[in-house]
Structures are given as C-alpha cells and as structure tokens.
Amino acid sequence: MKTTDRSTDRPTDRSTGRTTDRSTGAAAGDTVLRDAAPAAVRWCPSGAPDRPESVVLGVRSGADGRVGYLAEPLPAAAATGAIPDGIPATRVLRFASHCVSECANRAGSRCGLIDRMAALPVPEAASTTVPRCHLRTDCKWWHQAGVEACRRCPAVVTTTQAEDALGALVADPATTREQLAEWIAAEAG
C-alpha cells in the first residue's frame, strides 16, 4: 500500500518502509529507493582496509581488474595478512568500511566518487546485469544512485595504475563531471 511520507512528501510503500526519490541524477526512468528513516551507518564499497569494521567485498581479477564479489563478507584483518609484502591489499582486493564524513570523496552528504562514476558510460557487460552483493542494503552508493551505482561498482578500483589515465581522473576528488565528459569526448574523437 502506498502512502505519503509527510517528512519528505514522497510516496512511501508501507510494506517496505521505503520512499521513492528521482532526484539523485540516476538515468531517466530509474527509480532509486531510500529508507524512510536514515540508517545508522552507511557502508562505502570502496572503503579502507585498515578500519576496524572493514570487510573484503570482492577480489579484483581478470585482465580488466573487475571485481568478483564474495558471497559472504570476510573480515579485512583475516585477508590482508595473506597478501605478499610490497603489494598493496587494495591492488587485489576491494574493501568496504563505514562511510565517514572526513572522506576526501565526500561532497556534503553525497559521495563524489559515485557521482563521478555515474558520469561514465555503463560498461557493456554491466548494461543488463547487476552483481550480487551482500552490502547493497546498507551501501552508500546504492542509496545515492541505485542500480546505476551497482552497474559501475565492479569497475571501481582503489589503487589505480599509472597507465590508467581515466581511472586516475575518476579517483581524483577534484575532477568534475564536465572534465570527465571532455576526457571521454577527446578519447572518442
């Protein structure tokens, strides 16, 4: 049954307690769901491995380094010890940790990283599929950009390679969506 959340004037589904919000910048026609009551903690799917709550979200694999997601979270401390010395854990693993206000990617209450990722074209392999993810219900990116965030999430890397100019540009909190569009246009032209 649909009602209206009087605090937001948005439609609310009583069975799920969620409101519908189309103001996130997701692609036209997409509906992004948000909890009617804010969650106590949102998780960052590109988090720091050294935070006490950190878990391994997935493993980077293949030639393109896309993330393969774990079926169940693994405490980061249990995995980082298995990484050989001299190799950053973020080079081979993706971590999730609490979204924190002091993050360089924070733009007010939004995550600037997923805003920059949303400016990029959806990878062809991800245009129809969304990976299974144990983090989704508490994920900052999901609550901010919905399925469009999930489609791009496997391509996000925490440690960029020197030859990955686009990755470095996206990772830079100072990069604007306009700069990304200019870079993409220059590479296509």
Side-chain angles (χ1 to χ4, degrees), residues 19-71:
T19 59
T20 303
D21 182 356
R22 294 181 183 269
S23 66
T24 63
D30 283 349
T31 300
V32 177
L33 298 177
R34 295 201 175 154
D35 292 338
V41 174
R42 291 282 184 237
W43 283 74
C44 171
S46 186
D50 57 353
R51 295 189 51 90
E53 75 280 358
S54 293
V55 296
V56 176
L57 182 61
V59 178
R60 292 186 59 206
S61 61
D64 63 359
R66 294 178 68 79
V67 173
Y69 294 88
L70 300 181

Side-chain angles (χ1 to χ4, degrees), residues 1-187:
M1 176 175 185
K2 301 268 185 196
T3 62
T4 299
D5 179 343
R6 297 205 187 281
S7 66
T8 62
D9 289 327
R10 289 183 274 186
T12 303
D13 184 327
R14 280 192 189 173
S15 65
T16 64
R18 294 177 177 260
T19 59
T20 303
D21 182 356
R22 294 181 183 269
S23 66
T24 63
D30 283 349
T31 300
V32 177
L33 298 177
R34 295 201 175 154
D35 292 338
V41 174
R42 291 282 184 237
W43 283 74
C44 171
S46 186
D50 57 353
R51 295 189 51 90
E53 75 280 358
S54 293
V55 296
V56 176
L57 182 61
V59 178
R60 292 186 59 206
S61 61
D64 63 359
R66 294 178 68 79
V67 173
Y69 294 88
L70 300 181
E72 295 294 325
L74 175 68
T80 54
I83 307 293
D85 287 340
I87 298 175
T90 54
R91 174 83 170 95
V92 292
L93 301 173
R94 266 274 297 286
F95 297 91
S97 61
H98 293 165
C99 180
V100 294
S101 60
E102 63 271 10
C103 178
N105 287 302
R106 192 76 177 245
S109 65
R110 297 180 65 80
C111 175
L113 179 57
I114 197 56
D115 281 343
R116 292 187 302 279
M117 288 298 297
L120 301 176
V122 175
E124 189 173 317
S127 62
T128 59
T129 60
V130 175
R132 296 185 86 167
C133 177
H134 56 79
L135 187 66
R136 189 166 291 131
T137 58
D138 296 314
C139 177
K140 173 69 174 174
W141 294 359
W142 166 256
H143 285 272
Q144 182 173 315
V147 72
E148 292 306 312
C150 297
R151 286 187 177 123
R152 290 165 173 86
C153 189
V156 173
V157 295
T158 308
T159 303
T160 58
Q161 301 304 304
E163 66 274 5
D164 184 6
L166 179 58
L169 193 62
V170 170
D172 183 352
T175 301
T176 65
R177 291 179 76 131
E178 293 77 18
Q179 289 169 318
L180 287 171
E182 289 171 12
W183 190 93
I184 292 168
E187 288 295 307

